[in-house]
């Protein structure tokens, strides 16, 4: 029996394989997205202000929001990551110590997601927010911005971050954990990004085995290969 966490019938390995779509790996992979998410109703890809690449998927049994990680060649992405100013959350009760770069990107995604979901989303299915690196920080803020406007209960919302950086203060993280209980962030001790800074990360950390080397790089492929070895699954 494998005790590695999975959600519904969609394993985290499958979620990571989907994240490959926005990490520009899927075009070279041998599995189309339809094999990863059966019965797709609608797929939309957008680059949202300031420069956030997002994939929105609606299917018969699940909705998925995938947010891309930092593009090292993008000055805008680097500025988003490095904007460590602590700003208030736009909604009351969520605190005033939110990572400014991730929050501003999350707000751009939220505005599009609300309208997109009303047109294409499946309110009877859960919604999974998943992202890597910068995308992980964004999806740990995004649910707090959209939950009042989506036609579903917060218990249907699942958050999965990979190499997720710290993104908020104590007040936000405590409220997020109380409201969005199905939140997991996957980190590895060999990756400095999830452990940098004095902010916190909501949800529960699931610590993967240490990477074989220490590097400022934390490619999604490293997480994929480790998860595949843990689950004996193939992406």
């Amino acid at each position: 029996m494998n005790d590695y966490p999975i959600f519904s019938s969609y394993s985290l390995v499958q979620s990571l394989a989907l994240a490959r779509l926005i990490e520009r790996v899927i075009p070279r992979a041998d599995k189309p997205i339809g094999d990863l998410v059966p019965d797709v109703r609608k797929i939309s890809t957008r680059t949202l202000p300031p420069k956030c690449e997002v994939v929105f998927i609606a299917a018969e049994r699940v909705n998925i929001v995938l947010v891309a990680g930092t593009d090292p060649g993008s000055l805008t992405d680097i500025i988003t990551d490095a904007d460590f100013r602590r700003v208030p959350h736009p909604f009351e009760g969520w605190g005033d110590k939110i990572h400014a770069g991730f929050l501003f990107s999350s707000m751009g995604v939220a505005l599009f997601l609300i309208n997109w979901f009303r047109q294409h989303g499946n309110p009877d299915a859960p919604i999974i927010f998943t992202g890597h690196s910068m995308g992980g920080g964004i999806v740990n803020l995004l649910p707090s911005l959209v939950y009042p406007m989506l036609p579903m209960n917060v218990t249907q919302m699942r958050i999965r971050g990979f190499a997720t950086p710290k993104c908020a203060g104590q007040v936000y993280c405590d409220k997020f954990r109380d409201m969005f209980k199905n939140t997991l962030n996957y980190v590895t001790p060999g990756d400095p990004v999830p452990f940098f800074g004095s902010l916190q990360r909501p949800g529960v950390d699931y610590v993967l085995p240490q990477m074989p080397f220490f590097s400022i790089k934390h490619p999604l492929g490293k997480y994929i290969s480790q998860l595949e070895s843990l689950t004996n699954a193939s992406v």
Side-chain angles (χ1 to χ4, degrees), residues 110-191:
L111 290 172
F112 185 87
L113 172 60
I114 291 164
N115 292 323
W116 186 90
F117 195 90
R118 287 172 179 167
Q119 295 181 58
H120 308 294
N122 181 1
D124 297 321
I127 183 168
I128 298 166
F129 300 87
T130 185
H132 167 248
S133 188
M134 178 181 73
I138 290 171
V139 300
N140 273 266
L141 297 177
L142 186 57
S144 69
L145 298 170
V146 300
Y147 80 91
M149 279 75 77
L150 292 183
M152 57 172 50
N153 190 281
V154 293
T155 58
Q156 293 177 275
M157 299 184 181
R158 302 164 184 177
I159 297 88
R160 298 293 184 267
F162 305 96
T164 304
K166 298 178 180 180
C167 60
Q170 184 76 48
V171 172
Y172 178 90
C173 291
D174 286 348
K175 185 167 183 175
F176 194 96
R177 291 185 188 106
D178 288 343
M179 183 172 290
F180 304 103
K181 298 184 183 299
N182 199 337
T183 301
L184 288 170
N185 286 296
Y186 291 78
V187 299
T188 181
D191 181 355

Side-chain angles (χ1 to χ4, degrees), residues 29-158:
D30 59 358
K31 288 194 176 183
I33 195 166
D35 287 354
L36 300 168
V37 181
D39 303 316
V40 170
R41 295 179 175 183
K42 178 74 174 179
I43 299 176
S44 300
T45 304
R46 294 288 187 278
T47 300
L48 300 169
K51 183 189 170 292
C52 187
E53 292 182 81
V54 190
V55 178
F56 304 89
I57 303 170
E60 290 297 325
R61 293 185 292 136
V62 70
N63 304 281
I64 303 175
V65 180
L66 296 160
V67 184
T70 305
D71 178 355
S74 167
L75 179 60
T76 304
D77 283 4
I78 294 171
I79 291 173
T80 296
D81 281 338
D83 190 352
F84 293 109
R85 291 175 297 152
R86 300 180 183 189
V87 298
H89 193 282
F91 296 158
E92 187 176 355
W94 287 92
D96 59 358
K97 295 181 179 179
I98 314 298
H99 186 292
F102 298 150
L103 179 61
F104 296 152
S105 291
S106 299
M107 292 170 72
V109 177
L111 290 172
F112 185 87
L113 172 60
I114 291 164
N115 292 323
W116 186 90
F117 195 90
R118 287 172 179 167
Q119 295 181 58
H120 308 294
N122 181 1
D124 297 321
I127 183 168
I128 298 166
F129 300 87
T130 185
H132 167 248
S133 188
M134 178 181 73
I138 290 171
V139 300
N140 273 266
L141 297 177
L142 186 57
S144 69
L145 298 170
V146 300
Y147 80 91
M149 279 75 77
L150 292 183
M152 57 172 50
N153 190 281
V154 293
T155 58
Q156 293 177 275
M157 299 184 181
R158 302 164 184 177

